[in-house]
Amino acid sequence: MAIQRTFSIIKPDATKRNLTGAIAAKFEAAGLRIVASKRIQMTLAQAETFYGVHSERPFFGELCEFMISEPIVVQVLEGEDAIAKNREVMGATNPADAADGTIRKEFALSIGENSVHGSDAPETAAEEIAFFFSGLELVG
Ligand code: CMP
C-alpha cells in the first residue's frame, strides 16, 4: 500500500477537555505524520455542508450544532495506508463498540460526542482536505 493522506477532525468534546495533544500523540505513535493542522470554529453553514451526506439522518441537526459548539482541530495525516490506519486508531464510531487502546475507547463520550472524525475513502479524503486546506497550507 502506498503513502496516503487522510483528513482528521479533533471534535469539540475533545478540544474542550484539552485532549488535542493526547489524540495527536496517538496518531504519531501509529506512524501517522501530522502534515497540516489548525484550530478553527466552524459556522453552521460550513458544518451543514461538510456533513451534507448525513442531511436526511435524524441526528443531523444535533451533529451540526455539536460540531460548532467549540473550536475543532482539523488535520491532514500522512503515512502508509493512512486512511485505514487512522480509522483503526480512531476505533468504532460508537465508543461502546471501540477496541481497547483506540481514541474513541479512551476518550469518546458517546456516539455523537466521539472525539474524532476521519475520512472513510480516498475520494472523501481528497474532498475533505480541500474543504479545509488550501494548497499553500500543505507543505508535505
Ligand atoms: P463522524 O465520523 O464525524 O461522521 C458522522 C458523525 O455522525 C459520526 O462521526 C457520529 O459522531 C455522528 N453520529 C452517527 N450516529 C449518530 C447518532 N445515532 N446520534 C448522534 N450522532 C451520530
Side-chain angles (χ1 to χ4, degrees), residues 4-9 49-54 75-77 82-84 86-87 90 117-133 138:
Q4 287 180 327
R5 284 182 171 183
T6 191
F7 174 74
S8 166
I9 301 178
T49 302
F50 181 77
Y51 278 118
V53 67
H54 296 302
Q75 298 183 314
V76 180
L77 309 178
I83 295 166
N86 182 38
R87 292 179 72 77
M90 289 195 300
H117 164 83
S119 307
D120 60 5
E123 300 72 30
T124 45
E127 281 171 24
E128 292 175 358
I129 290 169
F131 188 83
F132 286 100
F133 291 95
L138 295 167

Side-chain angles (χ1 to χ4, degrees), residues 11 51 54 59 62-63 93 104 111-114 116-118:
K11 295 188 178 185
Y51 278 118
H54 296 302
F59 56 82
E62 184 189 329
L63 170 63
T93 304
R104 285 168 170 158
I111 192 169
E113 300 195 23
N114 64 353
V116 279
H117 164 83

Side-chain angles (χ1 to χ4, degrees), residues 56-101:
E56 303 303 318
R57 309 285 282 274
F59 56 82
F60 181 65
E62 184 189 329
L63 170 63
C64 293
E65 287 297 336
F66 166 62
M67 290 301 292
I68 68 168
S69 65
E70 295 277 340
I72 59 174
V73 175
V74 292
Q75 298 183 314
V76 180
L77 309 178
E78 185 179 87
E80 189 81 18
D81 207 6
I83 295 166
K85 189 175 285 181
N86 182 38
R87 292 179 72 77
E88 197 180 308
V89 174
M90 289 195 300
T93 304
N94 187 342
D97 302 327
D100 285 349

Side-chain angles (χ1 to χ4, degrees), residues 13-25:
D13 66 283
T15 61
K16 190 175 182 178
R17 289 176 290 147
N18 223 14
L19 293 171
T20 298
I23 290 173

